[in-house]
Amino acid sequence: MTTPEIDHAALFAATPSPCLVLDPDLVIVDVNQAALEATGRIRSDLVGQYIFDAFPDNPADPDSDGVQNLDASLHRVLAFGERDTLAPQKYDIPVAHRPGAFEERWWSPINTPVLGPDGSVAWILLRVEDVTAFVRSRHRRPGGKLSEREEAMEAELYARARALQQLNEELRMAHARERQVAITLQEAMLHSPDLARHGNVTVRYRPAIGSLNVCGDW
């Protein structure tokens, strides 16, 4: 039985989670239907736009940090080539056809690198889940409040998400430091005068992935 060829463009378009594809300059190059529906925009509004021109911070909210947090996450993806998950973010979006108006929204974003043939980040898949209804649900409870138990559970979940985000950042920083030490040691070995006395030694140096192989008998 022949396996039918998969239409990846159709799969992306039909994905139920809102998704945008960014290039390394953080320009939107593609967007699926779910993202258009979630943001109330049309394709021509977004494709070709710098992500933070299309979705700026709400100027009426002095505590808005959505752009800052998302920008840091996207640059971590570019720097490390690894998926980056953010804790739920308050990130208001512009209201279509109402210049200067913003609508309160909460999102749970995951930024995933798509690597090119050379191993560098060719694209970033920005997938979000709109969790606004969940955040607002507390205001629809009797008296506009959650029970003490529910308050405690929600606070714990949010705190864990924030802690996980911080831990991920610390692990990335540690990885970057270890990689730099490894590359420094490799460079020192490459310039070691001992290598000149061993003609049967072959050194293969691959700095892009921070590894070095030495073959031969010492």
Side-chain angles (χ1 to χ4, degrees):
M1 180 176 178
T2 303
T3 302
E5 184 176 348
I6 296 176
D7 186 341
H8 292 91
L11 288 175
F12 174 74
T15 301
S17 296
C19 296
L20 296 89
V21 179
L22 311 180
D23 69 13
D25 294 323
L26 306 187
V27 172
I28 301 170
V29 296
D30 204 356
V31 57
N32 70 353
Q33 184 60 33
L36 297 177
E37 294 172 358
T39 60
R41 310 289 279 276
I42 61 176
R43 183 179 174 82
S44 59
D45 285 342
L46 301 179
V47 174
Q49 292 289 312
Y50 177 57
I51 181 67
F52 299 119
D53 287 341
F55 298 104
D57 269 334
N58 182 355
D61 181 1
D63 298 322
S64 178
D65 59 0
V67 166
Q68 175 183 322
N69 293 336
L70 181 58
D71 182 65
S73 174
L74 293 171
H75 278 91
R76 286 194 293 268
V77 173
L78 290 171
F80 299 108
E82 298 175 357
R83 179 181 302 170
D84 193 89
T85 302
L86 289 170
Q89 305 285 309
K90 182 179 184 294
Y91 198 134
D92 299 345
I93 61 172
V95 179
H97 311 302
R98 290 175 56 193
F102 282 73
E103 179 180 355
E104 179 185 343
R105 291 291 185 89
W106 288 79
W107 308 92
S108 178
I110 300 177
N111 298 309
T112 303
V114 179
L115 304 182
D118 62 352
S120 65
V121 178
W123 316 102
I124 299 176
L125 178 65
L126 194 172
R127 181 179 72 83
V128 295
E129 295 294 343
D130 187 345
V131 294
T132 308
F134 171 76
V135 173
R136 289 178 175 172
S137 66
R138 64 187 306 158
H139 301 297
R140 294 198 294 268
R141 304 298 177 90
K145 294 183 179 180
L146 298 174
S147 68
E148 289 186 6
R149 176 178 172 79
E150 289 170 325
E151 287 276 8
M153 291 177 63
E154 183 176 288
E156 182 178 355
L157 287 173
Y158 188 76
R160 287 185 178 181
R162 286 290 186 181
L164 179 60
Q165 180 177 324
Q166 179 63 30
L167 177 60
N168 285 338
E169 175 60 15
E170 290 174 357
L171 289 173
R172 290 188 195 95
M173 292 177 65
H175 174 72
R177 288 193 297 267
E178 290 174 0
R179 183 175 184 276
Q180 186 56 52
V181 169
I183 290 176
T184 300
L185 290 173
Q186 291 167 12
E187 291 175 345
M189 290 181 67
L190 285 173
H191 294 91
S192 172
D194 289 339
L195 290 179
R197 299 200 301 268
H198 296 274
N200 61 335
V201 172
T202 300
V203 177
R204 295 195 301 272
Y205 180 46
R206 296 179 294 172
I209 59 174
S211 65
L212 174 145
N213 295 325
V214 178
C215 304
D217 298 323
W218 288 89

